[in-house]
Amino acid sequence: MPPTSGPRYHRSVSSLVDLRSDTVTRPTATMRKAMAQAEVGDDGYGEDPTVRELEAAFAARVGKEAGLFVPSGTMANQVALRVLAPPGTAVLAGRRSHLIAYENGAGARNSDAQLTPLDDHGGRLDLDAVALAVAGVAHHLAQVGMVAVENTHMASGGQALSVEAMDALRTAAGDVPVYVDGARIFNAEVALGVPAAQLVAGADAMMACLSKGLAAPVGSVLAGPADFIAVARIERHRLGGTMRQAGVLAAAGLVALRTMVERLVEDHRRARRLAEAVAERWPSCGLDPNEVLTNCVVFSHPDTDRLLDHLRMAGVLGGTIAPGVMRLMTHHDIDDVGLERALSALSSAPV
Ligand SMILES: *Cc1c(COP(=O)(O)O)cnc(C)c1O
């Protein structure tokens, strides 16, 4: 049975406390107004002023030369792969990263890359493995085309990667392009108190999602040097991602970028409360609430089906990211009332 429909659900999804993902956020009234009033043109001709404004504002915000609006974070990653990693080269990324684990094999299908999973404990790539792989081309090993890292790293419970960790990765990667999947880079910015531009300064290119914690309905932005973005624009077209009067979407994205970042601190506070409740209920689940600094609560559970059922009966939706691994995510549409419902559902869950 799909998790959000069927006879067991007597409530509509919107009355549930939906902790499955921060992608379920709906656009705010301000966004809808901006969308209705957006100036638009044909972005296939580069003539949508609102898309251009978003691309420029985003690039400036993350300290890169140029930006490219794409329909999804997955497409941003796929475009980056196609531009940065020549066919047949190895792409180093965390084994639990979105790029490797959660894109339905798109990297292999779209870019002829040899995806090479590395250990990603706490969201940090194994730097010795990176340096060895990069040095390997002198020893008959595949050339490394790109190193990708996630900030924040979802599968490790939204861990934020510091500037120091990025610098170390930059050093290990040598001359190989470093790409940051920054789907939630603004969560990292807020949690670390370090501007996103600084967090990605060592990266050749990066992306962030507007459609997650920032609550825009659609879209991500890829950013990097102008010549990278020029090629990325062509690859976006090849993947079918060129949109036309996309200013209606970019308008919401601009509101997201300009007004929805600081409030992420609320999501982080609530995720921490959830983590405390989880750690109290299941002390051996491998979750240290002190390490939950962003909006993502990931923990092991021996019977996730049973736990999800229990939560659902209490009006709370959660999800899994691997067998035996639960995920609860806070976001703009979860307020303190929703939080309390989730906390009480967790505290009454079967152990
Ligand atoms: C959500 C996510 C993506 C993909 O974004 P979509 O818009 O869902 O395609 C990529 N990377 C990470 C880390 C994500 O969390």
Side-chain angles (χ1 to χ4, degrees), residues 224-293:
D227 57 350
F228 162 81
I229 290 296
V231 184
R233 202 173 284 282
I234 296 167
E235 293 296 351
R236 181 186 67 173
H237 192 214
R238 289 192 174 124
L239 293 174
T242 299
M243 299 181 283
R244 301 301 179 175
Q245 286 71 36
V248 291
L249 302 175
L254 277 164
V255 174
L257 193 62
R258 287 172 178 156
T259 69
M260 300 295 279
V261 173
E262 286 74 21
R263 61 148 300 279
L264 292 172
V265 71
E266 292 295 310
D267 299 348
H268 299 176
R269 172 177 68 77
R270 294 186 181 109
R272 174 70 164 258
R273 292 279 311 281
L274 288 176
E276 286 162 0
V278 166
E280 193 178 306
R281 192 71 183 150
W282 300 281
S284 61
C285 73
L287 181 68
D288 177 357
N290 295 318
E291 287 182 358
V292 177
L293 302 178

Side-chain angles (χ1 to χ4, degrees), residues 94 96-97 119-127 130 147-154 156-170 178-182 184-203 291 293-294:
R96 297 173 297 167
S97 66
D119 285 344
D120 55 5
H121 186 72
R124 289 178 303 278
L125 293 184
D126 177 342
L127 295 183
V130 172
V147 181
V149 68
E150 215 173 277
N151 197 8
T152 61
H153 184 247
M154 186 279 287
S156 65
Q159 297 276 325
L161 213 61
S162 67
V163 171
E164 292 71 29
M166 268 302 291
D167 285 348
L169 177 65
R170 175 75 268 173
V178 171
Y179 171 70
V180 174
D181 173 346
R184 299 188 181 84
I185 194 71
F186 297 111
N187 294 86
E189 172 177 292
V190 167
L192 298 172
V194 177
Q198 252 169 276
L199 296 174
V200 301
E291 287 182 358
L293 302 178
T294 64

